[in-house]
Amino acid sequence: MTTIIFVSVLPPKVLHLQNERGRGVVLGVFVLSSEIVIMKRGQFFFIPLEDIYYIERLNQNTNINCKNNIISVRIPLKKIEEMLPNNFVRSHRSFIINKTLLRELIKQDENNYEAYFSNMDKTALVSKMYFDKIFSEEIFSN
């Protein structure tokens, strides 16, 4: 009953995609004030935006790397990027990072940097092409 009420008030950012059999699949990913909501296999995941370190596209999966877990969805990175606030920026063709949790950038090679985050061992990539975008947004202008 609660699910029916909740579904009826979903914002228009719910994605309608087709699965490999050509059947319509409703995949919900949307942002409600301070959290991202993901509908996956009949479950709702409510993830506070401040818990998301980075989002990575790997093969056909988009992995949302959080403080306590990784949630894998089959939604294009571009669609998720469009919904997120400006502290999330595209850092590489396969990564979106949360700038507020960024601790340091270390040059990896001619075209890439490794992004390290506060209280996390995993890293994300920042390509030379997106490097300026990380510092151009208002979050770092103070």
Side-chain angles (χ1 to χ4, degrees), residues 33-64:
S33 62
S34 63
E35 47 189 15
I36 189 169
V37 180
I38 298 170
M39 292 184 299
K40 180 180 176 184
R41 294 186 186 122
Q43 292 181 304
F44 290 89
F45 297 92
F46 296 85
I47 307 166
L49 291 172
E50 69 267 8
D51 287 356
I52 300 172
Y53 287 100
Y54 65 91
I55 302 168
E56 176 184 18
R57 185 74 177 175
L58 187 61
N59 300 322
Q60 293 183 0
N61 291 318
T62 299
N63 298 318
I64 302 171

Side-chain angles (χ1 to χ4, degrees), residues 61-77:
N61 291 318
T62 299
N63 298 318
I64 302 171
N65 291 267
C66 308
K67 285 184 179 178
N68 298 320
N69 58 2
I70 298 171
I71 296 177
S72 184
V73 294
R74 288 187 167 249
I75 297 172
L77 203 57

Side-chain angles (χ1 to χ4, degrees), residues 14-136:
V14 176
L15 303 175
H16 298 273
L17 302 176
Q18 287 189 346
N19 64 14
E20 53 277 351
R21 294 183 194 97
R23 293 186 179 162
V25 178
V26 176
L27 296 174
V29 173
F30 52 91
V31 176
L32 292 176
S33 62
S34 63
E35 47 189 15
I36 189 169
V37 180
I38 298 170
M39 292 184 299
K40 180 180 176 184
R41 294 186 186 122
Q43 292 181 304
F44 290 89
F45 297 92
F46 296 85
I47 307 166
L49 291 172
E50 69 267 8
D51 287 356
I52 300 172
Y53 287 100
Y54 65 91
I55 302 168
E56 176 184 18
R57 185 74 177 175
L58 187 61
N59 300 322
Q60 293 183 0
N61 291 318
T62 299
N63 298 318
I64 302 171
N65 291 267
C66 308
K67 285 184 179 178
N68 298 320
N69 58 2
I70 298 171
I71 296 177
S72 184
V73 294
R74 288 187 167 249
I75 297 172
L77 203 57
K78 178 100 174 126
K79 296 288 184 190
I80 294 175
E81 179 183 19
E82 292 169 355
M83 295 180 227
L84 294 169
N86 65 356
N87 58 307
F88 288 88
V89 294
R90 190 66 164 258
S91 65
H92 184 274
R93 67 182 178 154
S94 301
F95 288 91
I96 297 171
I97 64 171
N98 183 347
K99 293 190 310 184
T100 57
L101 297 176
L102 186 62
R103 186 184 59 186
E104 66 181 314
L105 294 171
I106 297 178
K107 192 168 189 171
Q108 186 180 36
D109 57 39
E110 287 286 319
N111 297 314
N112 295 299
Y113 291 80
E114 249 183 325
Y116 290 84
F117 301 92
S118 302
N119 303 316
M120 185 178 205
D121 295 333
K122 293 183 178 182
T123 62
L125 287 179
V126 177
S127 70
K128 191 176 181 180
M129 184 170 80
Y130 293 97
F131 190 80
D132 290 341
K133 189 175 180 182
I134 291 173
F135 297 104
S136 66

